Amino acid sequence: MGGVNTADRAERVPKQDRSRATRQRLLEAAVACLAEHGWAGSTVSVVAERAGVSRGAAQHHFPTREDLFTAAVEYVAEERSTALRALFPQGAAGDRHTVVAALVDLYTGPLFRAALHLWVAASNEDQLRPRVTELESRVGRETHRIAVDLLGADETVPGVRETVQGLLDMARGLGLANLLTDDASRRERVVAQWAGLLEEALRRP
C-alpha cells in the first residue's frame, strides 16, 4: 500500500507543478496583453492563445474574465513589490541620483504599463475597482516606505514626507508620458534635476 501511495504522490506532484506553470503563464500573458492591447483587447481567448493553452484550460483556472484579471492585478502588485525590494538588496549602495533613476525606471517598465491599464479598466468595471484600489494602496505604501529607506530620508523633519511623495508622483507622471513616446533623454535630465533638489531638501536640518 505504501508503494501505491508513493506512486500517487509522484503523479500528483508533477500535475500540481504543471497546473502552477499553466496558471503562471496565463497571468504573465494577461499582464503582457494589458500592457500591449489595453483592457478592451485583452479577452480570455487572447490571453489563452498568448499563453499557449486552450480557452478551456484558461477557464479551468479562471472561470470568468474578471477572475483572470483580478488575479492579474494581484500578480502585478506582487511583481512590482518584488522589483522594488530587489532594487538595492543590500540597501542604497549608490548616491541619491542612482536611487531616483532606479525608482523612475520602475514607473516606465511593462509592469507599470500593465498597472495603468488595470487602473483604467477598474474605473469602468465595478468588479475590478475594489481589488485594484486595495492593491494599489498597498503597493503605494510599500513604494513610499522603500523610497524613504533608500534615500535615507528622515520623515520627522517637516516637509520630507511630502518631498519623497513628490518624487514618486513625478516618477508616475514620467511613466504616463512614456506611454505615448520614448522620452528617455528628457527623463534623464529630469532625474538629474530631481536628484539635486532631493540632496538639498533632505540635507536641511
Side-chain angles (χ1 to χ4, degrees):
M1 183 175 291
V4 172
N5 288 340
T6 301
D8 287 346
R9 282 198 300 273
E11 285 186 10
R12 272 200 306 272
V13 171
K15 186 175 181 181
Q16 289 170 350
D17 287 345
R18 287 197 302 272
S19 179
R20 277 195 295 268
T22 299
R23 180 183 172 87
Q24 179 77 6
R25 285 204 309 275
L26 284 165
L27 290 174
E28 289 173 354
V31 171
C33 284
L34 279 170
E36 292 177 18
H37 308 301
W39 175 254
S42 298
T43 63
V44 174
S45 295
V46 169
V47 171
E49 182 178 352
R50 187 179 187 115
V53 304
S54 68
R55 181 185 171 90
Q59 288 182 314
H60 170 73
H61 287 275
F62 305 104
T64 69
R65 187 185 189 211
E66 285 72 26
D67 290 333
L68 172 59
F69 287 101
T70 295
V73 173
E74 296 172 348
Y75 176 74
V76 168
E78 186 53 44
E79 287 294 295
R80 286 169 67 201
S81 294
T82 299
L84 267 172
R85 292 191 292 267
L87 281 179
F88 299 95
Q90 308 302 323
D95 57 20
R96 284 178 174 140
H97 182 280
T98 304
V99 173
V100 172
L103 288 168
V104 167
D105 282 347
L106 284 179
Y107 284 95
T108 53
L111 283 173
F112 181 69
R113 182 182 288 260
L116 281 177
H117 285 297
L118 284 169
W119 296 354
V120 173
S123 70
N124 298 309
E125 297 287 333
D126 291 341
Q127 289 173 291
L128 278 178
R129 190 181 303 119
R131 195 74 186 119
V132 171
T133 302
E134 174 196 339
L135 286 164
E136 278 303 318
S137 178
R138 191 192 80 196
V139 173
R141 287 193 302 271
E142 184 169 15
T143 304
H144 187 98
R145 179 179 55 76
I146 290 173
V148 166
D149 290 344
L150 291 176
L151 292 165
D154 180 2
E155 289 197 302
T156 64
V157 176
V160 166
R161 178 176 179 77
E162 291 75 16
T163 298
V164 174
Q165 191 58 53
L167 163 64
L168 297 177
D169 290 342
M170 179 273 296
R172 189 180 299 112
L174 290 174
L176 284 167
N178 199 59
L179 282 177
L180 296 175
T181 179
D182 182 359
D183 214 13
S185 59
R186 187 177 73 90
R187 193 161 62 244
E188 288 174 8
R189 295 195 300 273
V190 172
V191 164
Q193 178 69 12
W194 261 88
L197 292 172
L198 277 169
E199 283 290 351
E200 180 66 26
L202 300 181
R203 202 166 41 226
R204 291 173 186 163

Coordinates of all heavy atoms in Angstrom, one line a residue, residues 9 11-12 14 22 30 39 54-55 65 75 79 81 91 97 113 126 128 148 152 154 160 177 180 187 191 198 203 205:
R9 N 1.5 10.0 -5.1 CA 2.1 11.3 -4.8 C 3.0 11.7 -6.0 O 3.1 12.9 -6.3 CB 2.9 11.2 -3.5 CG 2.1 11.3 -2.3 CD 2.9 11.6 -1.0 NE 4.0 10.7 -0.8 CZ 3.8 9.6 -0.1 NH1 2.6 9.3 0.5 NH2 4.8 8.7 0.1
E11 N 2.7 11.1 -9.0 CA 1.9 11.5 -10.1 C 1.3 12.9 -9.9 O 1.1 13.7 -10.7 CB 0.7 10.5 -10.4 CG 1.2 9.3 -11.2 CD 0.1 8.4 -11.5 OE1 -1.1 8.8 -11.4 OE2 0.3 7.2 -11.9
R12 N 0.9 13.1 -8.6 CA 0.2 14.3 -8.2 C 1.1 15.5 -8.3 O 0.8 16.6 -8.8 CB -0.4 14.2 -6.8 CG -1.8 13.7 -6.7 CD -2.4 14.1 -5.4 NE -1.7 13.7 -4.3 CZ -1.7 12.5 -3.7 NH1 -2.5 11.6 -4.1 NH2 -1.0 12.3 -2.6
P14 N 3.9 16.3 -10.2 CA 4.1 16.9 -11.5 C 2.8 17.5 -12.0 O 2.9 18.6 -12.6 CB 4.5 15.7 -12.4 CG 5.1 14.7 -11.4 CD 4.3 14.8 -10.2
T22 N 0.9 26.5 -15.7 CA -0.1 27.0 -16.6 C -0.7 28.3 -16.0 O -0.9 29.3 -16.8 CB -1.2 25.9 -16.8 OG1 -0.7 24.8 -17.4 CG2 -2.3 26.5 -17.7
A30 N -1.7 37.6 -19.4 CA -2.7 38.6 -19.1 C -2.0 40.0 -18.9 O -2.5 41.0 -19.4 CB -3.5 38.2 -17.9
W39 N -7.4 47.1 -21.9 CA -8.5 46.2 -21.4 C -9.4 45.7 -22.5 O -9.7 44.5 -22.5 CB -9.3 47.0 -20.4 CG -10.5 46.3 -19.8 CD1 -11.8 46.5 -20.2 CD2 -10.6 45.2 -18.9 NE1 -12.7 45.7 -19.5 CE2 -11.9 44.9 -18.7 CE3 -9.6 44.5 -18.2 CZ2 -12.3 43.8 -17.8 CZ3 -10.0 43.5 -17.3 CH2 -11.3 43.2 -17.2
S54 N -5.4 26.2 -24.1 CA -6.7 26.2 -24.7 C -7.6 27.2 -23.8 O -7.3 27.4 -22.7 CB -7.4 24.9 -24.7 OG -7.6 24.4 -23.4
R55 N -8.6 27.7 -24.5 CA -9.5 28.5 -23.7 C -10.2 27.8 -22.5 O -10.3 28.3 -21.5 CB -10.7 29.0 -24.6 CG -11.7 30.0 -23.9 CD -12.8 30.4 -24.9 NE -13.8 31.0 -24.1 CZ -13.9 32.3 -23.9 NH1 -13.0 33.1 -24.4 NH2 -14.9 32.9 -23.3
R65 N -13.6 36.3 -17.0 CA -12.6 37.3 -17.4 C -12.2 38.1 -16.1 O -11.0 38.5 -15.9 CB -13.2 38.3 -18.4 CG -12.2 39.3 -19.0 CD -12.9 40.2 -20.0 NE -12.0 41.0 -20.7 CZ -12.3 42.2 -21.1 NH1 -13.5 42.8 -20.9 NH2 -11.4 43.0 -21.8
Y75 N -1.1 39.7 -9.2 CA 0.2 39.3 -9.7 C 1.1 40.5 -10.0 O 2.3 40.6 -9.6 CB 0.1 38.5 -11.0 CG 1.3 38.1 -11.7 CD1 2.2 37.1 -11.1 CD2 1.7 38.7 -12.9 CE1 3.3 36.7 -11.8 CE2 2.9 38.3 -13.5 CZ 3.7 37.3 -13.0 OH 4.8 37.0 -13.6
E79 N 4.6 41.5 -8.2 CA 5.8 41.7 -9.0 C 6.4 43.0 -8.9 O 7.6 43.2 -8.8 CB 5.5 41.4 -10.5 CG 5.2 39.9 -10.8 CD 6.4 39.1 -10.7 OE1 7.4 39.3 -11.4 OE2 6.4 38.2 -9.8
S81 N 6.2 44.9 -6.2 CA 6.8 44.9 -4.9 C 8.1 44.2 -4.9 O 9.1 44.7 -4.3 CB 5.8 44.3 -3.8 OG 4.7 45.1 -3.7
G91 N 20.7 47.5 0.5 CA 20.5 48.9 0.9 C 21.0 49.8 -0.2 O 21.5 49.3 -1.2
H97 N 21.1 60.1 -6.8 CA 20.8 60.1 -8.2 C 20.5 58.7 -8.7 O 19.6 58.5 -9.5 CB 22.0 60.7 -9.0 CG 21.7 60.8 -10.5 ND1 21.9 59.7 -11.3 CD2 21.4 61.9 -11.3 CE1 21.6 60.1 -12.5 NE2 21.3 61.4 -12.6
R113 N 3.1 49.8 -16.9 CA 2.2 50.0 -18.0 C 1.0 49.1 -17.9 O -0.2 49.5 -18.1 CB 3.0 49.6 -19.3 CG 2.1 49.8 -20.6 CD 3.0 49.4 -21.8 NE 4.0 50.4 -22.1 CZ 3.9 51.3 -23.0 NH1 2.8 51.4 -23.8 NH2 4.9 52.1 -23.2
D126 N -17.0 47.6 -12.1 CA -17.2 47.6 -10.7 C -16.6 46.4 -10.0 O -16.2 46.5 -8.8 CB -18.8 47.5 -10.5 CG -19.4 48.9 -10.8 OD1 -18.7 49.9 -10.9 OD2 -20.6 48.9 -11.1
L128 N -13.8 45.0 -10.7 CA -12.3 45.1 -10.5 C -11.9 46.3 -9.6 O -10.9 46.2 -8.9 CB -11.7 45.5 -11.9 CG -11.4 44.3 -12.9 CD1 -10.8 44.9 -14.2 CD2 -10.4 43.3 -12.2
V148 N 11.8 56.0 1.1 CA 12.3 56.7 2.3 C 13.6 56.0 2.7 O 14.6 56.6 3.0 CB 11.3 56.7 3.4 CG1 11.9 57.1 4.7 CG2 10.1 57.6 3.0
G152 N 17.5 57.5 2.5 CA 17.9 57.9 3.8 C 17.2 59.1 4.3 O 17.8 60.0 5.0
D154 N 14.6 61.4 6.5 CA 14.1 61.5 7.9 C 12.8 62.2 7.9 O 12.7 63.4 7.8 CB 15.1 62.3 8.8 CG 14.6 62.4 10.2 OD1 13.5 61.8 10.5 OD2 15.3 63.0 11.0
V160 N 9.7 66.6 4.6 CA 10.4 65.5 3.9 C 9.5 64.4 3.4 O 9.7 64.0 2.3 CB 11.4 64.8 4.9 CG1 11.9 63.5 4.4 CG2 12.6 65.8 5.2
A177 N 3.8 59.7 -19.4 CA 4.4 60.3 -20.6 C 5.0 59.3 -21.5 O 4.9 59.3 -22.7 CB 5.4 61.4 -20.3
L180 N 3.2 57.3 -24.5 CA 3.0 57.8 -25.8 C 4.3 57.9 -26.6 O 4.3 57.8 -27.8 CB 2.3 59.2 -25.7 CG 0.9 59.2 -25.1 CD1 0.5 60.7 -25.0 CD2 0.0 58.4 -26.0
R187 N 13.9 62.5 -19.8 CA 13.7 61.9 -18.5 C 15.1 61.9 -17.7 O 15.1 62.1 -16.5 CB 13.3 60.4 -18.6 CG 12.8 59.8 -17.4 CD 11.9 58.6 -17.6 NE 12.6 57.5 -18.3 CZ 12.2 57.1 -19.5 NH1 11.3 57.7 -20.2 NH2 12.9 56.1 -20.1
V191 N 15.5 63.5 -14.0 CA 16.1 62.7 -12.9 C 17.3 63.4 -12.3 O 17.4 63.5 -11.0 CB 16.5 61.3 -13.4 CG1 17.4 60.6 -12.4 CG2 15.3 60.5 -13.7
L198 N 16.6 66.9 -4.3 CA 16.5 66.0 -3.1 C 17.7 66.1 -2.2 O 17.5 66.2 -1.0 CB 16.3 64.5 -3.6 CG 14.9 64.1 -4.0 CD1 15.0 62.7 -4.6 CD2 14.0 64.1 -2.7
R203 N 18.9 67.5 3.1 CA 20.0 67.9 3.9 C 19.6 68.9 4.9 O 20.4 69.2 5.9 CB 21.1 68.5 3.0 CG 22.5 68.4 3.6 CD 23.6 68.7 2.6 NE 23.3 69.7 1.6 CZ 23.5 69.6 0.3 NH1 23.9 68.5 -0.2 NH2 23.2 70.6 -0.5
P205 N 18.2 70.8 8.1 CA 18.0 70.4 9.5 C 16.5 70.4 9.8 O 15.8 71.1 9.2 CB 18.8 71.4 10.3 CG 18.8 72.7 9.4 CD 18.9 72.2 8.0

